[in-house]
PDB file of all heavy atoms in Angstrom:
ATOM      1  N   LEU A 296     133.887 -56.313  59.865  1.00  0.00           N
ATOM      2  CA  LEU A 296     133.389 -55.136  59.181  1.00  0.00           C
ATOM      3  C   LEU A 296     132.959 -55.432  57.784  1.00  0.00           C
ATOM      4  O   LEU A 296     131.923 -54.929  57.311  1.00  0.00           O
ATOM      5  CB  LEU A 296     134.469 -54.025  59.202  1.00  0.00           C
ATOM      6  CG  LEU A 296     134.081 -52.685  58.608  1.00  0.00           C
ATOM      7  CD1 LEU A 296     132.942 -52.021  59.367  1.00  0.00           C
ATOM      8  CD2 LEU A 296     135.325 -51.763  58.576  1.00  0.00           C
ATOM      9  N   VAL A 297     133.712 -56.272  57.056  1.00  0.00           N
ATOM     10  CA  VAL A 297     133.304 -56.727  55.742  1.00  0.00           C
ATOM     11  C   VAL A 297     131.980 -57.473  55.791  1.00  0.00           C
ATOM     12  O   VAL A 297     131.057 -57.260  54.985  1.00  0.00           O
ATOM     13  CB  VAL A 297     134.410 -57.598  55.099  1.00  0.00           C
ATOM     14  CG1 VAL A 297     133.894 -58.245  53.791  1.00  0.00           C
ATOM     15  CG2 VAL A 297     135.653 -56.765  54.810  1.00  0.00           C
ATOM     16  N   PHE A 298     131.859 -58.389  56.762  1.00  0.00           N
ATOM     17  CA  PHE A 298     130.609 -59.157  56.907  1.00  0.00           C
ATOM     18  C   PHE A 298     129.417 -58.231  57.079  1.00  0.00           C
ATOM     19  O   PHE A 298     128.363 -58.420  56.471  1.00  0.00           O
ATOM     20  CB  PHE A 298     130.716 -60.121  58.109  1.00  0.00           C
ATOM     21  CG  PHE A 298     131.741 -61.191  57.988  1.00  0.00           C
ATOM     22  CD1 PHE A 298     132.174 -61.847  59.116  1.00  0.00           C
ATOM     23  CD2 PHE A 298     132.289 -61.552  56.792  1.00  0.00           C
ATOM     24  CE1 PHE A 298     133.085 -62.859  59.073  1.00  0.00           C
ATOM     25  CE2 PHE A 298     133.233 -62.570  56.655  1.00  0.00           C
ATOM     26  CZ  PHE A 298     133.649 -63.216  57.821  1.00  0.00           C
ATOM     27  N   TRP A 299     129.585 -57.251  57.973  1.00  0.00           N
ATOM     28  CA  TRP A 299     128.497 -56.301  58.277  1.00  0.00           C
ATOM     29  C   TRP A 299     128.163 -55.479  57.022  1.00  0.00           C
ATOM     30  O   TRP A 299     126.984 -55.322  56.667  1.00  0.00           O
ATOM     31  CB  TRP A 299     128.906 -55.438  59.454  1.00  0.00           C
ATOM     32  CG  TRP A 299     127.898 -54.423  59.874  1.00  0.00           C
ATOM     33  CD1 TRP A 299     126.557 -54.468  59.721  1.00  0.00           C
ATOM     34  CD2 TRP A 299     128.171 -53.200  60.546  1.00  0.00           C
ATOM     35  NE1 TRP A 299     125.955 -53.352  60.253  1.00  0.00           N
ATOM     36  CE2 TRP A 299     126.928 -52.544  60.771  1.00  0.00           C
ATOM     37  CE3 TRP A 299     129.351 -52.574  60.981  1.00  0.00           C
ATOM     38  CZ2 TRP A 299     126.845 -51.303  61.431  1.00  0.00           C
ATOM     39  CZ3 TRP A 299     129.245 -51.361  61.653  1.00  0.00           C
ATOM     40  CH2 TRP A 299     128.031 -50.736  61.856  1.00  0.00           C
ATOM     41  N   ALA A 300     129.209 -54.914  56.393  1.00  0.00           N
ATOM     42  CA  ALA A 300     128.982 -54.075  55.219  1.00  0.00           C
ATOM     43  C   ALA A 300     128.253 -54.874  54.100  1.00  0.00           C
ATOM     44  O   ALA A 300     127.375 -54.340  53.429  1.00  0.00           O
ATOM     45  CB  ALA A 300     130.288 -53.545  54.694  1.00  0.00           C
ATOM     46  N   HIS A 301     128.626 -56.125  53.939  1.00  0.00           N
ATOM     47  CA  HIS A 301     128.017 -56.984  52.934  1.00  0.00           C
ATOM     48  C   HIS A 301     126.521 -57.110  53.201  1.00  0.00           C
ATOM     49  O   HIS A 301     125.677 -57.063  52.265  1.00  0.00           O
ATOM     50  CB  HIS A 301     128.692 -58.339  52.969  1.00  0.00           C
ATOM     51  CG  HIS A 301     128.128 -59.323  52.016  1.00  0.00           C
ATOM     52  ND1 HIS A 301     128.008 -59.079  50.662  1.00  0.00           N
ATOM     53  CD2 HIS A 301     127.699 -60.629  52.216  1.00  0.00           C
ATOM     54  CE1 HIS A 301     127.530 -60.191  50.060  1.00  0.00           C
ATOM     55  NE2 HIS A 301     127.298 -61.074  50.983  1.00  0.00           N
ATOM     56  N   ARG A 302     126.156 -57.233  54.432  1.00  0.00           N
ATOM     57  CA  ARG A 302     124.746 -57.364  54.818  1.00  0.00           C
ATOM     58  C   ARG A 302     123.980 -56.054  54.650  1.00  0.00           C
ATOM     59  O   ARG A 302     122.819 -56.046  54.269  1.00  0.00           O
ATOM     60  CB  ARG A 302     124.638 -57.920  56.209  1.00  0.00           C
ATOM     61  CG  ARG A 302     124.981 -59.406  56.306  1.00  0.00           C
ATOM     62  CD  ARG A 302     125.394 -59.863  57.677  1.00  0.00           C
ATOM     63  NE  ARG A 302     125.507 -61.309  57.742  1.00  0.00           N
ATOM     64  CZ  ARG A 302     126.577 -61.996  57.365  1.00  0.00           C
ATOM     65  NH1 ARG A 302     127.629 -61.390  56.863  1.00  0.00           N
ATOM     66  NH2 ARG A 302     126.573 -63.323  57.481  1.00  0.00           N
ATOM     67  N   MET A 303     124.651 -54.944  54.968  1.00  0.00           N
ATOM     68  CA  MET A 303     124.018 -53.647  54.777  1.00  0.00           C
ATOM     69  C   MET A 303     123.767 -53.377  53.290  1.00  0.00           C
ATOM     70  O   MET A 303     122.763 -52.780  52.929  1.00  0.00           O
ATOM     71  CB  MET A 303     124.897 -52.551  55.373  1.00  0.00           C
ATOM     72  CG  MET A 303     125.056 -52.613  56.875  1.00  0.00           C
ATOM     73  SD  MET A 303     123.461 -52.460  57.795  1.00  0.00           S
ATOM     74  CE  MET A 303     123.090 -50.745  57.453  1.00  0.00           C
ATOM     75  N   LEU A 304     124.676 -53.868  52.457  1.00  0.00           N
ATOM     76  CA  LEU A 304     124.521 -53.664  51.013  1.00  0.00           C
ATOM     77  C   LEU A 304     123.315 -54.482  50.519  1.00  0.00           C
ATOM     78  O   LEU A 304     122.646 -54.057  49.536  1.00  0.00           O
ATOM     79  CB  LEU A 304     125.805 -54.132  50.307  1.00  0.00           C
ATOM     80  CG  LEU A 304     126.121 -53.610  48.922  1.00  0.00           C
ATOM     81  CD1 LEU A 304     126.054 -52.123  48.857  1.00  0.00           C
ATOM     82  CD2 LEU A 304     127.470 -54.130  48.500  1.00  0.00           C
ATOM     83  N   ARG A 305     123.053 -55.597  51.158  1.00  0.00           N
ATOM     84  CA  ARG A 305     121.901 -56.388  50.783  1.00  0.00           C
ATOM     85  C   ARG A 305     120.599 -55.631  51.105  1.00  0.00           C
ATOM     86  O   ARG A 305     119.621 -55.652  50.352  1.00  0.00           O
ATOM     87  CB  ARG A 305     121.922 -57.684  51.579  1.00  0.00           C
ATOM     88  CG  ARG A 305     120.722 -58.595  51.414  1.00  0.00           C
ATOM     89  CD  ARG A 305     120.771 -59.782  52.411  1.00  0.00           C
ATOM     90  NE  ARG A 305     119.629 -60.670  52.291  1.00  0.00           N
ATOM     91  CZ  ARG A 305     119.391 -61.638  53.116  1.00  0.00           C
ATOM     92  NH1 ARG A 305     120.229 -61.901  54.123  1.00  0.00           N
ATOM     93  NH2 ARG A 305     118.321 -62.412  52.966  1.00  0.00           N
ATOM     94  N   LEU A 306     120.589 -54.895  52.188  1.00  0.00           N
ATOM     95  CA  LEU A 306     119.435 -54.110  52.620  1.00  0.00           C
ATOM     96  C   LEU A 306     119.267 -52.810  51.885  1.00  0.00           C
ATOM     97  O   LEU A 306     118.158 -52.336  51.674  1.00  0.00           O
ATOM     98  CB  LEU A 306     119.555 -53.824  54.126  1.00  0.00           C
ATOM     99  CG  LEU A 306     119.200 -54.958  55.083  1.00  0.00           C
ATOM    100  CD1 LEU A 306     119.789 -54.699  56.452  1.00  0.00           C
ATOM    101  CD2 LEU A 306     117.717 -55.151  55.138  1.00  0.00           C
ATOM    102  N   ASP A 307     120.399 -52.231  51.478  1.00  0.00           N
ATOM    103  CA  ASP A 307     120.358 -50.881  50.907  1.00  0.00           C
ATOM    104  C   ASP A 307     121.524 -50.752  49.920  1.00  0.00           C
ATOM    105  O   ASP A 307     122.680 -50.620  50.328  1.00  0.00           O
ATOM    106  CB  ASP A 307     120.524 -49.855  52.035  1.00  0.00           C
ATOM    107  CG  ASP A 307     120.564 -48.426  51.545  1.00  0.00           C
ATOM    108  OD1 ASP A 307     120.120 -48.144  50.397  1.00  0.00           O
ATOM    109  OD2 ASP A 307     120.963 -47.541  52.313  1.00  0.00           O
ATOM    110  N   PRO A 308     121.256 -50.796  48.624  1.00  0.00           N
ATOM    111  CA  PRO A 308     122.338 -50.740  47.624  1.00  0.00           C
ATOM    112  C   PRO A 308     122.980 -49.341  47.565  1.00  0.00           C
ATOM    113  O   PRO A 308     122.753 -48.541  46.646  1.00  0.00           O
ATOM    114  CB  PRO A 308     121.649 -51.105  46.310  1.00  0.00           C
ATOM    115  CG  PRO A 308     120.226 -50.739  46.519  1.00  0.00           C
ATOM    116  CD  PRO A 308     119.945 -50.967  47.969  1.00  0.00           C
ATOM    117  N   ASP A 309     123.792 -49.074  48.563  1.00  0.00           N
ATOM    118  CA  ASP A 309     124.496 -47.789  48.687  1.00  0.00           C
ATOM    119  C   ASP A 309     125.985 -48.034  48.553  1.00  0.00           C
ATOM    120  O   ASP A 309     126.551 -48.879  49.302  1.00  0.00           O
ATOM    121  CB  ASP A 309     124.135 -47.178  50.040  1.00  0.00           C
ATOM    122  CG  ASP A 309     124.597 -45.728  50.158  1.00  0.00           C
ATOM    123  OD1 ASP A 309     125.655 -45.396  49.635  1.00  0.00           O
ATOM    124  OD2 ASP A 309     123.867 -44.927  50.751  1.00  0.00           O
ATOM    125  N   GLY A 310     126.644 -47.317  47.678  1.00  0.00           N
ATOM    126  CA  GLY A 310     128.054 -47.513  47.409  1.00  0.00           C
ATOM    127  C   GLY A 310     128.948 -47.335  48.628  1.00  0.00           C
ATOM    128  O   GLY A 310     130.059 -47.854  48.642  1.00  0.00           O
ATOM    129  N   ARG A 311     128.485 -46.633  49.638  1.00  0.00           N
ATOM    130  CA  ARG A 311     129.324 -46.395  50.815  1.00  0.00           C
ATOM    131  C   ARG A 311     129.639 -47.745  51.511  1.00  0.00           C
ATOM    132  O   ARG A 311     130.714 -47.880  52.145  1.00  0.00           O
ATOM    133  CB  ARG A 311     128.690 -45.429  51.769  1.00  0.00           C
ATOM    134  CG  ARG A 311     127.321 -45.883  52.388  1.00  0.00           C
ATOM    135  CD  ARG A 311     126.792 -44.780  53.285  1.00  0.00           C
ATOM    136  NE  ARG A 311     125.479 -45.132  53.801  1.00  0.00           N
ATOM    137  CZ  ARG A 311     125.028 -44.764  54.984  1.00  0.00           C
ATOM    138  NH1 ARG A 311     125.804 -44.040  55.789  1.00  0.00           N
ATOM    139  NH2 ARG A 311     123.823 -45.105  55.422  1.00  0.00           N
ATOM    140  N   TYR A 312     128.722 -48.706  51.466  1.00  0.00           N
ATOM    141  CA  TYR A 312     128.965 -50.003  52.058  1.00  0.00           C
ATOM    142  C   TYR A 312     130.012 -50.764  51.277  1.00  0.00           C
ATOM    143  O   TYR A 312     130.937 -51.357  51.801  1.00  0.00           O
ATOM    144  CB  TYR A 312     127.700 -50.790  52.180  1.00  0.00           C
ATOM    145  CG  TYR A 312     126.589 -50.120  52.985  1.00  0.00           C
ATOM    146  CD1 TYR A 312     125.358 -49.859  52.411  1.00  0.00           C
ATOM    147  CD2 TYR A 312     126.824 -49.669  54.279  1.00  0.00           C
ATOM    148  CE1 TYR A 312     124.351 -49.202  53.130  1.00  0.00           C
ATOM    149  CE2 TYR A 312     125.838 -48.991  54.999  1.00  0.00           C
ATOM    150  CZ  TYR A 312     124.591 -48.765  54.434  1.00  0.00           C
ATOM    151  OH  TYR A 312     123.607 -48.132  55.148  1.00  0.00           O
ATOM    152  N   ALA A 313     129.867 -50.754  49.929  1.00  0.00           N
ATOM    153  CA  ALA A 313     130.818 -51.435  49.099  1.00  0.00           C
ATOM    154  C   ALA A 313     132.203 -50.757  49.153  1.00  0.00           C
ATOM    155  O   ALA A 313     133.215 -51.400  49.018  1.00  0.00           O
ATOM    156  CB  ALA A 313     130.340 -51.436  47.633  1.00  0.00           C
ATOM    157  N   ASP A 314     132.234 -49.430  49.348  1.00  0.00           N
ATOM    158  CA  ASP A 314     133.520 -48.706  49.514  1.00  0.00           C
ATOM    159  C   ASP A 314     134.274 -49.220  50.741  1.00  0.00           C
ATOM    160  O   ASP A 314     135.505 -49.397  50.696  1.00  0.00           O
ATOM    161  CB  ASP A 314     133.239 -47.236  49.656  1.00  0.00           C
ATOM    162  CG  ASP A 314     132.957 -46.503  48.349  1.00  0.00           C
ATOM    163  OD1 ASP A 314     133.010 -47.141  47.292  1.00  0.00           O
ATOM    164  OD2 ASP A 314     132.557 -45.327  48.399  1.00  0.00           O
ATOM    165  N   VAL A 315     133.559 -49.454  51.840  1.00  0.00           N
ATOM    166  CA  VAL A 315     134.222 -49.932  53.032  1.00  0.00           C
ATOM    167  C   VAL A 315     134.675 -51.381  52.867  1.00  0.00           C
ATOM    168  O   VAL A 315     135.754 -51.743  53.339  1.00  0.00           O
ATOM    169  CB  VAL A 315     133.279 -49.773  54.244  1.00  0.00           C
ATOM    170  CG1 VAL A 315     133.844 -50.509  55.460  1.00  0.00           C
ATOM    171  CG2 VAL A 315     133.129 -48.294  54.588  1.00  0.00           C
ATOM    172  N   ILE A 316     133.864 -52.190  52.197  1.00  0.00           N
ATOM    173  CA  ILE A 316     134.320 -53.557  51.880  1.00  0.00           C
ATOM    174  C   ILE A 316     135.659 -53.488  51.108  1.00  0.00           C
ATOM    175  O   ILE A 316     136.611 -54.184  51.463  1.00  0.00           O
ATOM    176  CB  ILE A 316     133.267 -54.310  51.065  1.00  0.00           C
ATOM    177  CG1 ILE A 316     132.042 -54.599  51.899  1.00  0.00           C
ATOM    178  CG2 ILE A 316     133.841 -55.626  50.530  1.00  0.00           C
ATOM    179  CD1 ILE A 316     130.889 -55.243  51.143  1.00  0.00           C
ATOM    180  N   GLU A 317     135.684 -52.637  50.085  1.00  0.00           N
ATOM    181  CA  GLU A 317     136.921 -52.498  49.284  1.00  0.00           C
ATOM    182  C   GLU A 317     138.088 -52.023  50.181  1.00  0.00           C
ATOM    183  O   GLU A 317     139.207 -52.561  50.087  1.00  0.00           O
ATOM    184  CB  GLU A 317     136.648 -51.507  48.171  1.00  0.00           C
ATOM    185  CG  GLU A 317     137.837 -51.226  47.276  1.00  0.00           C
ATOM    186  CD  GLU A 317     137.541 -50.205  46.227  1.00  0.00           C
ATOM    187  OE1 GLU A 317     137.608 -48.988  46.560  1.00  0.00           O
ATOM    188  OE2 GLU A 317     137.247 -50.580  45.080  1.00  0.00           O
ATOM    189  N   ARG A 318     137.873 -50.988  50.997  1.00  0.00           N
ATOM    190  CA  ARG A 318     138.938 -50.472  51.831  1.00  0.00           C
ATOM    191  C   ARG A 318     139.497 -51.553  52.755  1.00  0.00           C
ATOM    192  O   ARG A 318     140.708 -51.688  52.937  1.00  0.00           O
ATOM    193  CB  ARG A 318     138.440 -49.268  52.648  1.00  0.00           C
ATOM    194  CG  ARG A 318     139.517 -48.590  53.491  1.00  0.00           C
ATOM    195  CD  ARG A 318     138.998 -47.331  54.141  1.00  0.00           C
ATOM    196  NE  ARG A 318     138.661 -46.337  53.176  1.00  0.00           N
ATOM    197  CZ  ARG A 318     139.548 -45.517  52.587  1.00  0.00           C
ATOM    198  NH1 ARG A 318     140.841 -45.612  52.875  1.00  0.00           N
ATOM    199  NH2 ARG A 318     139.138 -44.603  51.721  1.00  0.00           N
ATOM    200  N   ALA A 319     138.627 -52.337  53.354  1.00  0.00           N
ATOM    201  CA  ALA A 319     139.074 -53.380  54.249  1.00  0.00           C
ATOM    202  C   ALA A 319     139.712 -54.514  53.504  1.00  0.00           C
ATOM    203  O   ALA A 319     140.759 -55.032  53.927  1.00  0.00           O
ATOM    204  CB  ALA A 319     137.889 -53.906  55.077  1.00  0.00           C
ATOM    205  N   LEU A 320     139.186 -54.894  52.354  1.00  0.00           N
ATOM    206  CA  LEU A 320     139.741 -56.012  51.609  1.00  0.00           C
ATOM    207  C   LEU A 320     141.178 -55.727  51.186  1.00  0.00           C
ATOM    208  O   LEU A 320     142.061 -56.587  51.315  1.00  0.00           O
ATOM    209  CB  LEU A 320     138.913 -56.322  50.381  1.00  0.00           C
ATOM    210  CG  LEU A 320     137.581 -57.073  50.568  1.00  0.00           C
ATOM    211  CD1 LEU A 320     136.879 -57.250  49.215  1.00  0.00           C
ATOM    212  CD2 LEU A 320     137.825 -58.412  51.194  1.00  0.00           C
ATOM    213  N   TYR A 321     141.444 -54.538  50.669  1.00  0.00           N
ATOM    214  CA  TYR A 321     142.771 -54.276  50.091  1.00  0.00           C
ATOM    215  C   TYR A 321     143.773 -53.740  51.092  1.00  0.00           C
ATOM    216  O   TYR A 321     144.928 -53.538  50.753  1.00  0.00           O
ATOM    217  CB  TYR A 321     142.642 -53.256  48.929  1.00  0.00           C
ATOM    218  CG  TYR A 321     142.024 -53.833  47.682  1.00  0.00           C
ATOM    219  CD1 TYR A 321     140.663 -53.686  47.449  1.00  0.00           C
ATOM    220  CD2 TYR A 321     142.761 -54.613  46.779  1.00  0.00           C
ATOM    221  CE1 TYR A 321     140.090 -54.238  46.291  1.00  0.00           C
ATOM    222  CE2 TYR A 321     142.206 -55.155  45.676  1.00  0.00           C
ATOM    223  CZ  TYR A 321     140.831 -54.978  45.418  1.00  0.00           C
ATOM    224  OH  TYR A 321     140.277 -55.535  44.303  1.00  0.00           O
ATOM    225  N   ASN A 322     143.329 -53.567  52.313  1.00  0.00           N
ATOM    226  CA  ASN A 322     144.225 -52.965  53.325  1.00  0.00           C
ATOM    227  C   ASN A 322     144.192 -53.682  54.636  1.00  0.00           C
ATOM    228  O   ASN A 322     145.087 -54.477  54.960  1.00  0.00           O
ATOM    229  CB  ASN A 322     143.916 -51.484  53.491  1.00  0.00           C
ATOM    230  CG  ASN A 322     144.009 -50.678  52.226  1.00  0.00           C
ATOM    231  OD1 ASN A 322     145.110 -50.427  51.777  1.00  0.00           O
ATOM    232  ND2 ASN A 322     142.892 -50.295  51.648  1.00  0.00           N
ATOM    233  N   GLY A 323     143.147 -53.522  55.427  1.00  0.00           N
ATOM    234  CA  GLY A 323     143.156 -53.983  56.824  1.00  0.00           C
ATOM    235  C   GLY A 323     142.932 -55.445  57.047  1.00  0.00           C
ATOM    236  O   GLY A 323     143.080 -55.880  58.209  1.00  0.00           O
ATOM    237  N   THR A 324     142.558 -56.203  56.035  1.00  0.00           N
ATOM    238  CA  THR A 324     142.359 -57.663  56.243  1.00  0.00           C
ATOM    239  C   THR A 324     143.638 -58.417  55.785  1.00  0.00           C
ATOM    240  O   THR A 324     144.229 -59.131  56.598  1.00  0.00           O
ATOM    241  CB  THR A 324     141.140 -58.205  55.463  1.00  0.00           C
ATOM    242  OG1 THR A 324     141.295 -57.906  54.054  1.00  0.00           O
ATOM    243  CG2 THR A 324     139.863 -57.540  55.984  1.00  0.00           C
ATOM    244  N   ILE A 325     144.000 -58.286  54.545  1.00  0.00           N
ATOM    245  CA  ILE A 325     145.128 -59.057  54.021  1.00  0.00           C
ATOM    246  C   ILE A 325     146.460 -58.648  54.614  1.00  0.00           C
ATOM    247  O   ILE A 325     147.463 -59.373  54.486  1.00  0.00           O
ATOM    248  CB  ILE A 325     145.185 -59.082  52.467  1.00  0.00           C
ATOM    249  CG1 ILE A 325     145.199 -57.662  51.929  1.00  0.00           C
ATOM    250  CG2 ILE A 325     144.008 -59.842  51.921  1.00  0.00           C
ATOM    251  CD1 ILE A 325     145.398 -57.615  50.404  1.00  0.00           C
ATOM    252  N   SER A 326     146.520 -57.453  55.250  1.00  0.00           N
ATOM    253  CA  SER A 326     147.721 -57.119  56.018  1.00  0.00           C
ATOM    254  C   SER A 326     147.946 -58.126  57.126  1.00  0.00           C
ATOM    255  O   SER A 326     149.086 -58.288  57.610  1.00  0.00           O
ATOM    256  CB  SER A 326     147.579 -55.738  56.616  1.00  0.00           C
ATOM    257  OG  SER A 326     146.465 -55.646  57.478  1.00  0.00           O
ATOM    258  N   GLY A 327     146.920 -58.843  57.517  1.00  0.00           N
ATOM    259  CA  GLY A 327     147.051 -59.841  58.588  1.00  0.00           C
ATOM    260  C   GLY A 327     147.726 -61.108  58.236  1.00  0.00           C
ATOM    261  O   GLY A 327     147.901 -62.000  59.087  1.00  0.00           O
TER     262      GLY A 327
END
């Protein structure tokens, strides 16, 4: 999901993509 959001941000500088990167980084990834 981070990989995809990062690419969407490249196409469209919309904070909603960076918000999801942040949500996944601080929660659903490093919990692993």
Side-chain angles (χ1 to χ4, degrees):
L296 182 62
V297 171
F298 295 162
W299 180 27
H301 179 53
R302 287 158 170 82
M303 294 301 289
L304 202 53
R305 174 187 180 188
L306 282 162
D307 178 17
D309 191 321
R311 62 181 178 149
Y312 303 123
D314 283 352
V315 168
I316 292 175
E317 179 183 81
R318 183 173 296 279
L320 283 179
Y321 288 97
N322 300 287
T324 59
I325 55 175
S326 59

